[in-house]
Each structure stands twice: as structure tokens, then as C-alpha cells.
Amino acid sequence: MKRLVVATALVAVFSLSLCGVLFTLSAASDYAIALTNEINCTSQDISDSISPQETPVKNNTAISNSSAKSLDFSTSAQSAVVMERSSRRVLFAKNSDAHLPMASTTKIVTALTVLNHANLDDVVEVSPKAVGIEGSSIYLRAGEHLTVKELLYGLMLRSGNDSAVALALHVAGSIEAFAEMMNETARAAGCSDSNFVNPHGLHDNEHYTSAHDLAVLTCVALNNEDFREIVSTKSVRISNEGMEYDRVLINKNKLLSNFTDADGVKTGYTKKAGRCFVGSATRDGMQVVVVVLNCGPMFEETADMLNTAFANYHLEMVIPQNKVCGSRLEKGKNVYYFCPERFSYPVTDGESLTTEIALESKTPTIKALLNGQTVFERQLVKYN
């Protein structure tokens, strides 16, 4: 089927607005009409909210991990990644696929797995197996009762290893079964450089991740509203059954207090892993995640890399949500197609975003391209 050229004189003419530009298209027969056009979509109407709709839908999306030009990112970390959350574009990477221990940043995956399989209001009776776990603790006592949400606060604010075990046993019945659920969480996110054998991150030679995997898993977790609420909390009171006072939990993440717009996520340390940290901040609608593994000045270098990201990138909306992308004749009727989700992408000076729409195929699609390279592809939906 031949492609139609805009403004060609044919039988029927109609107009539609696409990303703010008026196109005139033509229809010539009772057969389906194909339209393939490249347009610039430079709308800056970016919502300050963090919506899962910004994340491309699995199986309908082809994203290339397009790396940006070299900018002033630097770190002493053994491994590091700077990633924009909604698109998961890597803005900076250092040794990012290396398999390394990650200490308590493990608990990002623990929390995500729990949120996927338990209700926040579920009441957990603390098992004796969760008491006296080495390392960081909120000092749980056998037999006391807390909600899943309270234990998640203990997990993410105070890095409670006892909270991690209590949650794992509640969700899966055993540490081994919960670790397999964590690995399923990683596989579902497309991560292949991670293996989890416990929910707390205490050292085990078979327990590892990569900075890139950890960044992706954090981006997935940050799509969850409850996760965002918990990891952005500076302090909270939770129950302390049988005692006359509550537990007061102060977040160990100093970035929340020392960096404007910081909103997460988790610290970690073991002797073998070194100081590990995942930090995030949102500015002008763009959320950036930084992962540093084995990094002495982890807070300071994370802040520097966040500042570099915000100084050099802005989030550009390429495809507005529910935007009509074209139409074609089907059985003598004009049928419109639209993209049900919006897509935004971080860009820096000198980069160009364009879109291509193809209606001639059996499954109409829209693509977003960065300097000609596909970074997003979505099947269009028929408007009824």
C-alpha cells in the first residue's frame, strides 16, 4: 500500500492536531490509509506528579538505553549509575554491570516484593526467627504485633534486619522462598545481573546486584505510591506493643535533609560491600536516581551527580497522553487511533526528539526517536 503525502489532492480531506501541529491528510478509497510522518513534539507540559503512565508498557515498548554525551559526572564509587526514572535513560554509568554486594540497598527490592504481595494493613506477629538478627535493628520482640506498613518503615528508615526477616516470613513463610520472590521481582523488571538470597543484604557470596539493575529496580519501586511515601519520610512513630512509648524511627538517609528536592531512597553498609547508597530527587517534574556501590563519600557524590543531572537535562514530553495520532478508512468509515499513555524523555543541549507514526500496518504504532534512534515504541489504540 502506498504511503500518502501530506496535502496530496485526493478524494477526501480531513485535519487533525498532533502535538500542537495541524496536519492535513487525505483518504482515497475504502481501503485502509497509511500515514507515516515525522514530527517534532517539544511540549513542556510536564506534570509534577510521578505517574506509572510515564513508564512504557511492557511488550509494547522498544527502548534503547541511549547514553548521553559526556558531561561533568564523576565519582570515586566502584560502580555507579545515574538514571532518569520514567524513561530509565542512563545519564551516566561507571562499571555499571559489575556483580557486586550491595548491603542494605537490598531492602529496596525487599520492600518492592512485599508491596507486590502483601497489604499494608496486614498484622504481622513477630516470629522468634526475626528476633536478634545481626546488624541494624528496630529491636523487635517475639510475639509482638505490627502492621506491614510499620515494618516497612522499620526496614527503609532504620534498615532493620529484623524487620526484613519478619516481613519475609510473613509474605513467603521462609527466607529461601522470599528470596526466590525477590529474584522474580528482578526478572520481571528485566534485570539479569542480580541474585538475592536474603531480604536484608548481610553478606553472602551468592547475594549480589549491579548498579544498573539496582537503578532499574529502584525506578520500578518509585512507581509505587506507598514506596514513595515511605522512603521520603524523615521520621515516623510506630507501635511498640507492651511498652509505654512508641518506637521513633529517624531516617538514615541524610540526603533527605541536606539536598533540596531529595525524596529517597536507601543506605547500606557492610565491610565487604563498603558504603552503598541509592538516592533520588525530583526537580521540574524530572526524577533522577543515583546508585553508588562501595563509595566512601556516598552522600556528597550522590548530591554532586544529582546537581549535574539537573543542570544538564530537562524532561521533555514527546507524546501527550491520549493524543490522537492519525486515522484511516476502515470499511468505509474514518477510524481514529490514539496513544493511551504519555511518554517523556530527558534531553540535553544538542539533542533532538522526534516521533514517527505508522498507520499502514496491521498494528498501527508510534515511535519516539532521539537523534534518529528509537527510544520508545507503542501500539496505537483504536478510538471507538
Side-chain angles (χ1 to χ4, degrees):
M1 184 174 293
K2 295 182 179 180
R3 298 185 179 182
L4 297 182
V5 180
V6 173
T8 299
L10 295 170
V11 178
V13 178
F14 62 92
S15 298
L16 64 117
S17 176
L18 182 59
C19 296
V21 180
L22 189 66
F23 286 82
T24 303
L25 307 175
S26 302
S29 68
D30 289 339
Y31 296 100
I33 292 181
L35 166 68
T36 302
N37 212 322
E38 179 174 285
I39 58 173
N40 287 318
C41 301
T42 56
S43 171
Q44 294 298 319
D45 183 21
I46 304 299
S47 171
D48 286 336
S49 65
I50 302 171
S51 168
Q53 292 173 332
E54 295 176 5
T55 303
V57 176
K58 188 185 294 184
N59 298 327
N60 287 310
T61 303
I63 289 191
S64 65
N65 195 7
S66 180
S67 297
K69 63 182 181 180
S70 178
L71 296 171
D72 190 24
F73 289 103
S74 64
T75 178
S76 62
Q78 184 176 355
S79 179
V81 162
V82 180
M83 182 177 288
E84 192 276 319
R85 181 197 59 82
S86 66
S87 66
R88 301 181 198 169
R89 183 184 186 185
V90 174
L91 310 183
F92 170 77
K94 175 184 177 182
N95 200 24
S96 60
D97 295 326
H99 293 184
L100 293 171
M102 61 293 204
S104 285
T105 59
T106 293
K107 290 164 182 157
I108 293 169
V109 186
T110 303
L112 177 58
T113 303
V114 170
L115 288 167
N116 286 341
H117 294 280
N119 296 316
L120 291 178
D121 295 331
D122 287 351
V123 176
V124 179
E125 181 175 318
V126 177
S127 166
K129 295 179 180 179
V131 176
I133 306 300
E134 67 174 296
S136 299
S137 178
I138 64 168
Y139 306 102
L140 294 173
R141 298 178 298 276
E144 71 170 311
H145 298 83
L146 298 92
T147 65
V148 165
K149 188 171 186 177
E150 287 178 315
L151 288 170
L152 284 170
Y153 276 118
L155 180 81
M156 299 306 288
L157 272 65
R158 295 306 299 169
S159 202
N161 293 337
D162 49 357
S163 294
V165 173
L167 287 165
L169 295 176
H170 171 73
V171 170
S174 71
I175 297 301
E176 294 76 14
F178 186 78
E180 181 51 36
M181 293 173 72
M182 295 173 71
N183 287 317
E184 290 175 3
T185 298
R187 288 191 291 268
C191 298
S192 58
D193 289 312
S194 298
N195 189 63
F196 301 95
V197 299
N198 65 58
H200 39 61
L202 291 174
H203 188 77
D204 187 294
N205 288 336
E206 297 303 315
H207 187 87
Y208 58 83
T209 191
S210 68
H212 184 270
D213 274 10
L214 190 53
V216 169
L217 287 161
T218 302
C219 289
V220 173
L222 286 168
N223 281 336
N224 185 293
E225 181 179 358
D226 296 316
F227 183 89
R228 294 198 303 271
E229 176 189 344
I230 290 167
V231 300
S232 63
T233 298
K234 295 179 181 179
S235 65
V236 69
R237 290 178 177 270
I238 65 171
S239 62
N240 196 7
E241 190 176 56
M243 307 299 286
E244 296 181 355
Y245 51 87
D246 292 336
R247 288 182 173 93
V248 179
L249 308 180
I250 308 297
N251 203 320
K252 292 184 176 183
N253 181 0
K254 296 180 180 179
L255 198 73
L256 292 175
S257 299
N258 298 333
F259 188 86
T260 303
D261 302 321
D263 48 21
V265 302
K266 187 69 189 74
T267 60
Y269 172 78
T270 64
K271 288 183 178 179
K272 291 192 175 182
R275 300 185 78 195
C276 301
F277 182 54
V278 182
S280 68
T282 304
R283 192 172 295 171
D284 297 328
M286 182 173 73
Q287 188 171 35
V288 176
V289 171
V290 175
V291 176
V292 289
L293 300 179
N294 191 14
C295 179
M298 60 184 190
F299 293 122
E300 296 84 353
E301 292 191 2
T302 295
D304 288 343
M305 287 189 283
L306 285 169
N307 277 327
T308 299
F310 289 128
N312 289 280
Y313 288 89
H314 66 277
L315 195 64
E316 190 167 297
M317 184 167 62
V318 192
I319 303 168
Q321 186 179 6
N322 295 329
K323 192 68 177 179
V324 174
C325 295
S327 70
R328 66 186 186 184
L329 285 177
E330 296 180 2
K331 297 181 180 179
K333 293 184 178 180
N334 211 17
V335 178
Y336 287 85
Y337 285 83
F338 70 97
C339 185
E341 65 191 282
R342 74 176 181 181
F343 178 67
S344 302
Y345 203 74
V347 293
T348 189
D349 292 344
E351 294 184 328
S352 174
L353 282 167
T354 56
T355 60
E356 288 183 355
I357 302 167
L359 291 180
E360 75 275 19
S361 61
K362 184 177 179 180
T363 55
T365 60
I366 185 169
K367 291 182 179 180
L369 302 96
L370 177 72
N371 295 340
Q373 182 180 6
T374 299
V375 293
F376 172 90
E377 184 173 3
R378 179 69 160 91
Q379 183 177 327
L380 297 178
V381 177
K382 185 184 298 186
Y383 181 79
N384 295 318

